[in-house]
Amino acid sequence: MPGFNLNRSHRRPPSSHAAKTHHHGSPPKRGHVTSAHILDQQLFDFLIVVDFECTCERDRRTYPNEIIEFPAILVDIRRGIVDKKRSFHTYVKPWRNPKLTAFCTELTGITQDKVDSAPSMQEAVQMFVKWYQETIPVGSRAVFATDGPWDFKNFLFTQAVLRDHVSFPTIFYEYFDVRTTFSRVFNKGDPLKLDAMLKKMKLRFEGSPHCGFDDAFNIARLALEMMKRGCVFEFLIALPLDDEEFHYKLDGYPVFRREEGSGFVTRDHVEQAAKEAFGAAYFAFAKSNASSVEMHRKQEHEAALERAGSAANDGGKIARTRRDGGLATWRA
């Protein structure tokens, strides 16, 4: 992975007034943000979190890995939702080593029958593209994220593309690295594993480790919590586009990478790329989404007030019961 430095001197932990300022301690200067909501400081509308599971063997680091599980968890950033129901998932049939090792099944929980009946890697990519076009609103800004560089740099690019000649659209050639971003913004040290990052965010892993869908779901939860604490994802990793034979542009959809490759992208840069690709659809989505997001946030706020009121009432009932020694029935 290209080396980079996210540890800028002006990056600070989120403060109590984070909702009104950029995480890095000052109002955003690149692009115009009219909303004070913390999630509106993000450059993108949707995050798609991928965590591949691959064929493997115990104690064989050079084993020719092939992707056998392809999950993509949708994060609706503006609404602050990890949307499992609208996410993508498929198993993938390997061809170099079609029979899974006992170690692989033990580690991932993926059984032979699941991959035997699964699509090929190229078919899985086509299935994803269909899902993407049906799920991601035209005019919105969407980008991938992974936990570290391995999924896209190794499993996708080095092995699936360069070795096995699987074709991917160029939207797969850029992504955010959640683990490295976390280490620079929150940990201020060496990168941590997923469980440790979740723990620092007061979250617990949900599901089964090494299940690709569950791993991706928890990475998505982590990324969203990072955003809610003021971390702005803006360092975009760009994979080489030298393999002209094996990548293709998804017509009508933008890529957001800088011409010079990996690096910080600005709001102006991201918005300009979206405007050029979508035209009028960009402005139509922005207008309709802002209205529906505002309504969603209002409903969430009202629901939170209702829950707080219920909790207060329950606390009063408990306190009254204790004063009565448990002999009287509480009445409002």
Side-chain angles (χ1 to χ4, degrees):
M1 185 180 69
F4 57 93
N5 178 23
L6 290 173
N7 194 16
R8 296 177 172 180
S9 60
H10 63 289
R11 292 179 182 269
R12 297 288 185 267
S15 65
S16 60
H17 60 282
K20 296 182 179 180
T21 60
H22 192 272
H23 170 79
H24 306 142
S26 60
K29 298 179 181 179
R30 291 163 290 180
H32 183 59
V33 181
T34 57
S35 171
H37 195 283
I38 193 71
L39 293 178
D40 290 337
Q41 308 307 315
Q42 300 299 320
L43 308 184
F44 291 84
D45 303 302
F46 295 95
L47 198 66
I48 302 170
V49 179
V50 172
D51 189 84
F52 296 124
E53 294 299 325
C54 298
T55 56
C56 54
E57 179 60 290
R58 190 187 307 273
D59 299 327
R60 285 189 59 185
R61 297 180 65 86
T62 58
Y63 191 85
N65 306 115
E66 294 174 84
I67 295 169
I68 54 175
E69 186 181 3
F70 181 176
I73 301 295
L74 181 65
V75 180
D76 186 331
I77 294 175
R78 309 303 177 197
R79 291 171 178 79
I81 295 172
V82 177
D83 196 341
K84 291 178 73 172
K85 291 183 178 179
R86 296 174 62 216
S87 295
F88 173 84
H89 179 266
T90 185
Y91 293 106
V92 181
K93 186 175 184 177
W95 66 274
R96 287 182 175 273
N97 291 291
K99 184 172 176 56
L100 302 181
T101 64
F103 172 75
C104 182
T105 295
E106 178 185 354
L107 179 69
T108 66
I110 300 173
T111 54
Q112 190 66 45
D113 61 302
K114 289 180 179 178
V115 297
D116 284 345
S117 60
S120 67
M121 189 67 236
Q122 193 64 73
E123 291 169 337
V125 173
Q126 294 167 355
M127 291 168 58
F128 174 88
V129 169
K130 183 176 185 294
W131 169 86
Y132 184 92
Q133 292 173 326
E134 293 175 350
T135 305
I136 305 300
V138 174
S140 66
R141 293 159 287 174
V143 68
F144 288 103
T146 65
D147 178 19
W150 306 280
D151 292 273
F152 275 29
K153 181 183 177 183
N154 295 351
F155 300 144
L156 186 153
F157 183 68
T158 301
Q159 295 169 355
V161 174
L162 298 183
R163 184 193 66 192
D164 295 340
H165 298 172
V166 177
S167 297
F168 285 82
T170 50
I171 59 173
F172 281 91
Y173 281 64
E174 56 188 29
Y175 64 96
F176 285 126
D177 182 340
V178 175
R179 182 176 298 203
T180 303
T181 301
F182 187 96
S183 71
R184 296 298 188 268
V185 176
F186 295 101
N187 191 47
K188 307 295 184 183
D190 293 335
L192 301 175
K193 292 185 177 181
L194 179 56
D195 278 342
M197 291 188 288
L198 288 169
K199 186 176 180 180
K200 276 187 171 287
M201 295 288 103
K202 308 300 182 185
L203 299 173
R204 291 185 178 181
F205 189 98
E206 296 182 8
S208 301
H210 298 295
C211 164
F213 190 88
D214 289 349
D215 283 349
F217 172 65
N218 283 281
I219 297 164
R221 292 173 60 228
L222 171 66
L224 183 57
E225 183 61 26
M226 290 166 64
M227 294 178 195
K228 290 179 177 178
R229 298 192 186 202
C231 174
V232 176
F233 283 85
E234 56 187 356
F235 193 97
L236 195 62
I237 305 295
L239 296 174
L241 286 171
D242 303 331
D243 58 308
E244 295 183 6
E245 184 179 353
F246 305 118
H247 69 262
Y248 59 94
K249 190 176 188 311
L250 201 58
D251 289 341
Y253 290 89
V255 290
F256 301 97
R257 57 195 290 142
R258 307 182 315 161
E259 288 186 9
E260 56 269 42
S262 301
F264 287 95
V265 290
T266 66
R267 183 175 301 277
D268 286 340
H269 173 87
V270 171
E271 290 180 351
Q272 185 61 33
K275 291 173 185 176
E276 291 177 359
F278 295 125
Y282 169 81
F283 299 97
F285 169 78
K287 183 177 180 180
S288 64
N289 194 55
S291 176
S292 61
V293 166
E294 183 179 359
M295 183 177 298
H296 171 81
R297 290 173 179 172
K298 181 179 179 181
Q299 292 171 347
E300 286 289 296
H301 179 67
E302 291 172 350
L305 291 177
E306 185 176 343
R307 289 193 298 270
S310 297
N313 288 337
D314 290 343
K317 180 177 179 179
I318 293 171
R320 178 63 179 271
T321 301
R322 287 174 176 171
R323 287 196 300 271
D324 292 339
L327 300 176
T329 301
W330 182 89
R331 289 181 176 84

